[in-house]
Amino acid sequence: MPDLLLELRSEEIPGRMQRKAAGDLKKMLTDGLVEAGLTYEAAREYWTPRRLTLDIRGLNARSKDIHEDIKGPSTSAPEQAVQGFLRKAGLSSIAEAHVHSDPKKGDFYVAHISKPGRAAEEIIAGLVPDIIRNFPWPKSMRWGPASAKPGSLRWVRPLQSILCTFGPETEEPVVVDFEIDGIRSGNITYGHRFLAPGEITVRRFDDYVGKLEAGKVVLDADRRKEIILADARNLAFANGLDLVEDEGLLEEVSGLVEWPVVLMGEFEEAFLAIPAEVIRLTIRANQKCFVTRPQGESEALSNRFILTANIEAKDGGKEIAHGNGKVVRARLSDALYFWTTDQGDLPDLDQLRASAEKFGLDLKKPLDQRMARLDHLNVTFHAKLGTQGERVERIKRLAEELAPVVGADPTPAGRAAVLAKADLTTEVVGEFPELQGAMGRKYALLQGEHPSVAAAVEEHYKPQGPSDYVPSDPVSVAVAVADKLDTLVGFWIIDEKPTGSKDPYALRRAALGIVRLALENGTRLSLLSTMANHRKTTVDQIDKRQAREQAESGGDHAHGGGQVGDGKSVDRDLLAFFHDRLKVYLRDQGARHDLIDAVITPQSDDLLQIVRRVEALGSFLDTEDGKNLLAGTKRAANILAAEEKKKTAVAEAVEPALFRQDAEKSLFAAVNQAEKQAGEAIQNQDFSAAMLALSVLREPVDSFFEHVLVNDEDLSVRANRLALLARIRTATGQVADFSKIAG
């Protein structure tokens, strides 16, 4: 079976685009081949900064002949139907169709279509130029004299050559000949731009890889990553250091070089006074270099860094390392300036006193100054939800309210909430936004804040995803829940909820964060009352701001009110959103979806209680008592539902005087006992005990259905027995809706 080799060589492709572009090329070409009637055994894509390569093995040499019959309309059909048939069949006139007869339907047209197979080279030659012209680059460009012409070729960077060979291993492959904007395909490629720039003639993939390697090009991106990582580790170890590994940076660097050469640079030890995170980000962002640390250290960095060059220099890379060191020093000088500036006084302290008084801030402390400035500048959080300062007011109030619930002291919780957003106005976070929170914690510790307060300043953003860690310090939990709940309540108030796949404010992540904070810390939150109180606070704040703006504008500002829709419906809708996130979380943990649905009601606002119920219900249903009670309960529910649908009378209360069977008496006594004991257990949050209380119903329910006919001829007896079944439903319904459980 023949193999296909395709290479598209260009100027340097941005590293972030390479992997996806290679995957897009593979998908577009293989999809096109299959659609054209060709099959293949395997396909793999490769990429370097200057080329996208595709190796397709076991491709058919020719597509199959196609014979197809297309049935048309009746010979007496109107002209419009006939013309539609001709277009569908690709016929130029009805004379090219055949007439078939059917005893029942009469005469009708049929088109006998025969399409001979095509050579794979012909199919490939038609596909590749079209793929190149329609390639989905995020950004592309035109170049050269041809760029002035309408419809000229666009590519991410100027396309320089196309290599395309096809043929079996046992024969000499052929060049698949085609041309696009003056670039003709061939069997020629080129090695490393500087180390081996000459032409390389290629036959098929195996010698292509070998000749590129000889030309100082490592084609496989994963192998380039392995080379860089291994050499970086070894170089660091040889200098008594450990490499600080970074998978994202490794991926990026492997897309910057075709022939990786790992070198070591250095900077002055004085820069180590800067926090390690800032040093690492500075060197990573500006020079794409790895940092190192002394062997055995877990936090402190060394003044050496690892860089990856794309060339073997005659001096062993000394000048390259020296040049990178000069740039790193300049960037670290900026970082040192940011770091020291953030610890000094702001020049506009006199203007910040009102904000400082509002939040109880100490303007002798740098981080307090930054929070005062954040409020003073009226930095907008959202046009409809006010400023960051107003948001901090809400978060502080909510954190203090939540503190006793999560086992925290309200005072440090309020203090942490006030400082949580202060680092947004620092120089370091302005340069590196990804350090928000982390820098706040460092500045908080430097000005003598309690460790729990400092930790909460950083951890209130957590968790930021399903794999992120969950804070456990009560102060951090209080502020983290307050921050996320304020976001959710606010955007629900203004009706900016997620729709479909769109979630611009990451509200699903915020809700999942609260779910994880509650469950993984064993915290019980009464969401409905908490949301309702915070909603009222937020709406009042919005209304006051709008009234103030209206007064300041002389009455021209429209006062639209802070809330969209009824307040209680907002709370219920947001609670349903929490239920959806909880279901996703529990299913990921392996919980049965039917048990979750059986436990959750529209009023279930204690997430931890829901989980405990699901766990207890699952354990109960794994027992024989549970399985049998489930069957009996569902039977009772089905009988009741059927009779209620028929409008059959059901007594309002069970009347023992109407019992005729001992099984009725036994079931009535068991229901009374189970209902009472299960209710008491639920009040005590002991759901296992509630299940145990229900288990006593198993035998009486079985006995009832074995010995008692529910639909007795005596209507009063029948109504009484149906009422007894309703009592079973009520008793079990305290724990879960058994009708929603599968089985």
Side-chain angles (χ1 to χ4, degrees):
M1 297 283 281
D3 300 331
L4 172 65
L5 171 62
L6 174 67
E7 179 201 72
L8 306 177
R9 189 179 65 89
S10 67
E11 295 291 340
E12 276 73 6
I13 305 167
R16 67 184 183 280
M17 299 182 188
Q18 293 166 19
R19 183 181 290 272
K20 182 179 184 301
D24 288 340
L25 177 62
K26 174 184 172 182
K27 185 177 188 308
M28 293 173 78
L29 186 52
T30 54
D31 284 356
L33 293 172
V34 171
E35 189 176 340
L38 298 176
T39 60
Y40 60 94
E41 293 177 358
R44 184 176 173 186
E45 71 275 26
Y46 299 87
W47 62 92
T48 78
R50 298 179 64 213
R51 63 200 84 218
L52 301 178
T53 299
L54 196 55
D55 173 30
I56 300 181
R57 302 291 176 96
L59 186 65
N60 294 134
R62 187 177 184 84
S63 63
K64 293 180 180 179
D65 297 340
I66 297 175
H67 300 285
E68 182 183 7
D69 291 340
I70 300 177
K71 186 179 178 181
S74 166
T75 53
S76 59
E79 182 63 21
Q80 188 175 0
V82 172
Q83 290 301 319
F85 164 65
L86 294 178
R87 286 193 297 271
K88 179 181 177 181
L91 303 181
S92 56
S93 74
I94 199 63
E96 297 177 8
H98 296 75
V99 177
H100 287 210
S101 296
D102 184 281
K104 295 181 180 179
K105 298 182 179 180
D107 294 344
F108 58 91
Y109 293 113
V110 176
H112 300 301
I113 307 299
S114 294
K115 294 181 181 179
R118 293 190 296 157
E121 297 98 302
E122 179 188 344
I123 294 171
I124 295 164
L127 278 175
V128 176
D130 187 58
I131 289 170
I132 292 173
R133 287 197 179 279
N134 297 287
F135 203 79
W137 291 110
K139 292 184 179 180
S140 56
M141 61 181 290
R142 295 188 177 97
W143 62 91
S147 63
K149 301 176 184 177
S152 61
L153 178 64
R154 299 181 68 93
W155 199 244
V156 63
R157 296 290 184 269
L159 189 62
Q160 295 179 327
S161 68
I162 301 172
L163 182 152
C164 192
T165 65
F166 180 71
E169 293 183 11
T170 56
E171 299 176 16
E172 189 67 21
V174 299
V175 171
V176 180
D177 186 44
F178 56 87
E179 182 180 339
I180 179 167
D181 271 30
I183 304 172
R184 182 165 291 279
S185 59
N187 61 350
I188 302 296
T189 188
Y190 297 81
H192 191 283
R193 183 188 292 277
F194 304 112
L195 301 177
E199 289 188 359
I200 299 173
T201 303
V202 175
R203 297 175 65 248
R204 54 177 53 85
F205 183 76
D206 292 339
D207 74 305
Y208 167 76
V209 173
K211 288 178 178 178
L212 277 183
E213 191 97 12
K216 305 297 184 181
V217 175
V218 179
L219 180 67
D220 189 342
D222 289 332
R223 185 161 164 260
R224 292 198 302 275
K225 288 171 67 174
E226 291 170 4
I227 292 170
I228 294 168
L229 183 58
D231 289 356
R233 285 171 174 168
N234 292 337
L235 183 57
F237 183 78
N239 286 271
L241 304 168
D242 287 330
L243 177 71
V244 178
E245 298 184 15
D246 185 330
E247 177 61 29
L249 179 59
L250 182 62
E251 173 79 13
E252 186 175 6
V253 169
S254 71
L256 299 176
V257 297
E258 290 195 316
W259 190 252
V261 178
V262 174
L263 304 169
M264 180 173 281
E266 65 179 317
F267 55 86
E268 286 75 8
E269 290 189 359
F271 289 122
L272 295 177
I274 306 169
E277 299 94 329
V278 179
I279 295 174
R280 184 176 178 180
L281 268 176
T282 300
I283 293 176
R284 185 192 200 280
N286 293 291
Q287 286 305 104
K288 314 301 180 191
C289 296
F290 298 89
V291 294
T292 62
R293 59 169 57 103
Q295 287 181 355
E297 292 282 348
S298 59
E299 298 294 336
L301 298 182
S302 80
N303 65 325
R304 305 285 186 89
F305 61 91
I306 302 287
L307 63 110
T308 308
N310 191 35
I311 190 171
E312 292 176 341
K314 294 179 181 178
D315 64 353
K318 291 182 181 178
E319 280 301 315
I320 296 174
H322 177 70
N324 275 267
K326 287 175 65 177
V327 178
V328 165
R329 290 184 199 100
R331 298 301 186 190
L332 288 177
S333 294
D334 292 341
L336 183 59
Y337 169 78
F338 297 148
W339 169 243
T340 53
T341 299
D342 285 340
Q343 296 172 61
D345 289 338
L346 292 172
D348 54 350
L349 281 181
D350 288 342
Q351 301 175 33
L352 307 180
R353 300 197 184 283
S355 293
E357 186 176 343
K358 182 197 304 184
F359 289 101
L361 298 167
D362 182 355
L363 290 182
K364 295 177 182 178
K365 297 181 176 181
L367 199 58
D368 289 53
Q369 294 178 23
R370 271 68 187 174
M371 178 56 223
R373 171 179 272 187
L374 182 68
D375 179 66
H376 172 71
L377 294 177
N378 289 321
V379 177
T380 300
F381 167 64
H382 186 279
K384 295 180 180 179
L385 294 173
T387 66
Q388 287 282 10
E390 290 173 325
R391 182 164 185 252
V392 169
E393 283 187 83
R394 299 194 301 266
I395 294 173
K396 175 180 182 291
R397 186 177 304 176
L398 184 54
E400 289 172 342
E401 178 187 329
L402 290 170
V405 178
V406 301
D409 185 333
T411 301
R415 174 66 174 166
V418 167
L419 296 179
K421 308 297 180 183
D423 66 353
L424 295 177
T425 59
T426 62
E427 299 287 342
V428 170
V429 173
E431 182 72 10
F432 301 112
E434 56 267 57
L435 287 180
Q436 64 184 21
M439 295 312 301
R441 180 177 194 162
K442 289 187 178 297
Y443 293 136
L445 289 172
L446 283 172
Q447 69 178 33
E449 299 295 335
H450 189 280
S452 289
V453 171
V457 170
E458 177 179 16
E459 293 179 337
H460 81 282
Y461 291 108
K462 304 291 183 180
Q464 294 193 357
S467 58
D468 197 11
Y469 80 89
V470 175
S472 57
D473 185 293
V475 175
S476 296
V477 173
V479 182
V481 172
D483 176 63
K484 293 168 179 59
L485 196 57
D486 175 77
T487 300
L488 288 161
V489 169
F491 283 106
W492 246 254
I493 286 171
I494 62 173
D495 200 27
E496 292 276 356
K497 297 175 286 189
T499 55
S501 61
K502 295 181 179 179
D503 187 10
Y505 304 111
L507 301 181
R508 291 188 181 95
R509 187 175 71 187
L512 178 61
I514 292 176
V515 168
R516 293 188 62 202
L517 283 161
L519 301 188
E520 296 179 32
N521 283 295
T523 300
R524 296 189 58 200
L525 295 173
S526 297
L527 282 174
L528 271 176
S529 59
T530 305
M531 292 188 302
N533 292 337
H534 194 65
R535 172 178 50 78
K536 291 172 185 174
T537 298
T538 306
V539 170
D540 288 346
Q541 190 186 66
I542 293 172
D543 285 344
K544 287 177 183 177
R545 174 171 51 81
Q546 291 184 341
R548 186 172 62 251
E549 290 171 352
Q550 184 181 22
E552 290 172 355
S553 63
D556 293 332
H557 183 83
H559 178 65
Q563 180 172 302
V564 176
D566 172 63
K568 290 184 178 179
S569 66
V570 169
D571 298 338
R572 287 194 299 268
D573 190 60
L574 181 52
L575 182 60
F577 184 72
F578 272 108
H579 289 167
D580 289 340
R581 294 300 96 201
L582 177 62
K583 289 176 182 179
V584 171
Y585 174 82
L586 291 179
R587 286 168 190 165
D588 289 343
Q589 301 294 312
R592 285 170 47 181
H593 68 88
D594 58 330
L595 301 191
I596 303 169
D597 291 337
V599 163
I600 289 181
T601 69
Q603 293 75 38
S604 301
D605 72 338
D606 186 333
L607 303 177
L608 185 63
Q609 186 185 88
I610 293 171
V611 174
R612 296 289 181 264
R613 284 178 181 248
V614 171
E615 292 170 349
L617 182 59
S619 298
F620 178 56
L621 293 177
D622 284 339
T623 66
E624 278 303 307
D625 281 347
K627 292 172 185 174
N628 290 331
L629 178 59
L630 173 62
T633 303
K634 295 189 81 167
R635 184 175 176 185
N638 290 337
I639 293 172
L640 262 176
E643 295 303 320
E644 287 170 344
K645 190 174 182 181
K646 291 188 290 186
K647 308 286 190 202
T648 303
V650 179
E652 292 185 6
V654 177
E655 179 54 61
L658 292 174
F659 291 156
R660 294 181 177 176
Q661 303 279 347
D662 289 342
E664 291 177 275
K665 299 174 184 176
S666 298
L667 178 58
F668 183 60
V671 167
N672 286 334
Q673 177 189 342
E675 194 169 35
K676 180 176 181 294
Q677 292 180 349
E680 291 173 352
I682 289 170
Q683 287 282 64
N684 295 327
Q685 300 296 309
D686 190 345
F687 300 109
S688 295
M691 296 299 170
L692 186 63
L694 291 182
S695 67
V696 303
L697 290 174
R698 178 251 174 113
E699 189 175 334
V701 167
D702 289 347
S703 178
F704 177 85
F705 284 119
E706 183 178 351
H707 298 102
V708 177
L709 177 65
V710 175
N711 288 326
D712 193 89
E713 292 181 359
D714 186 327
L715 296 182
S716 60
V717 172
R718 178 190 301 181
N720 197 56
R721 288 173 178 173
L722 289 173
L724 188 53
L725 297 186
R727 286 289 304 279
I728 297 173
R729 184 171 62 182
T730 302
T732 55
Q734 293 181 99
V735 175
D737 184 347
F738 277 54
S739 66
K740 294 182 178 179
I741 302 173

